[in-house]
Amino acid sequence: RRAPRRAAKNFPSMKELLSNLIEALREELKQYGEMLALLEQQQQLVMQRQVAELPENVSCVNSQAGVIAAARQEREQHQRHLSRLLALPETSGITMLIPLLPSDYRPLVDALVHENNELLTRVQQRARQNHLLLSHCVDLMQQLINSIFPGVSPTTYDGSGHVPMAAVAPQPLYQAVG
């Protein structure tokens, strides 16, 4: 009798693997929600011209991206374990697993996968919106700088990814203003 108990400890049960996968899906969903909240905050900061708070928000967004990556890796690991138990290739997508799950687990797993996909889509949309908004702000600032100091700074990047800055010849104040 001891041998089967050891084997059971070495090989997690379907219920244990499902529980782990469900928890990982919930955690991933939570982290996507956190990212969406940060991106919405970022958009509000830009719209309300509270630029002093943007660097901290950007730092939080970058940190949250790392948290999401870790949550996704955790979920993928549990997904691979379940695939092995179901005698599927480890690379099997979660949609291939769902029909093979016990019937009482299918609706929950399917709903969590659906919610994760919907929230990920919203995060991607908000990130694109914020990118466009921030790019527009940078373009407006570049236009302002160019109107104050004409011909000073091109808007193209050099080979190293930097915008080269042209030397500004000092001008007397009356020439710059007048």
Side-chain angles (χ1 to χ4, degrees):
R1 284 195 156 223
R2 286 187 177 191
R5 285 185 184 168
R6 285 186 191 141
K9 287 183 180 180
N10 291 336
F11 299 103
S13 68
M14 170 71 83
K15 186 175 180 178
E16 183 181 346
L17 290 175
L18 277 169
S19 178
N20 291 342
L21 178 64
I22 289 166
E23 184 58 36
L25 284 165
R26 286 179 173 147
E27 180 63 22
E28 193 174 5
L29 185 65
K30 175 185 166 193
Q31 297 310 324
Y32 286 136
E34 292 289 331
M35 177 63 90
L36 187 59
L38 286 169
L39 291 171
E40 287 175 355
Q41 177 190 36
Q42 184 178 77
Q43 194 171 81
Q44 288 302 313
L45 291 172
V46 172
M47 300 297 271
Q48 296 171 359
R49 295 186 173 105
Q50 296 175 337
V51 294
E53 297 176 36
L54 268 175
E56 181 181 343
N57 174 272
V58 169
S59 177
C60 290
V61 166
N62 289 335
S63 294
Q64 186 62 24
V67 172
I68 286 172
R72 184 180 300 132
Q73 287 175 348
E74 182 78 12
R75 188 253 313 147
E76 288 171 348
Q77 179 183 4
H78 293 298
Q79 189 176 321
R80 284 191 298 274
H81 292 157
L82 192 56
S83 293
R84 276 195 302 260
L85 182 72
L86 295 171
L88 292 173
E90 286 189 10
T91 57
S92 298
I94 199 156
T95 55
M96 291 180 66
L97 298 177
I98 293 173
L100 303 175
L101 299 179
S103 60
D104 51 332
Y105 284 92
R106 283 184 219 145
L108 174 60
V109 173
D110 188 50
L112 285 169
V113 169
H114 182 71
E115 286 180 45
N116 268 292
N117 286 334
E118 281 187 359
L119 199 50
L120 176 58
T121 299
R122 288 179 56 200
V123 165
Q124 291 170 337
Q125 288 171 341
R126 184 55 50 103
R128 278 192 292 274
Q129 287 174 349
N130 287 9
H131 176 73
L132 289 173
L133 184 62
L134 291 168
S135 293
H136 182 66
C137 289
V138 169
D139 289 344
L140 289 174
M141 187 54 65
Q142 185 65 49
Q143 290 173 11
L144 173 64
I145 291 169
N146 288 340
S147 71
I148 295 171
F149 304 106
V152 170
S153 179
T155 56
T156 58
Y157 294 93
D158 63 17
S160 65
H162 296 94
V163 177
M165 298 297 285
V168 178
Q171 299 179 358
L173 183 59
Y174 66 90
Q175 285 182 345
V177 175

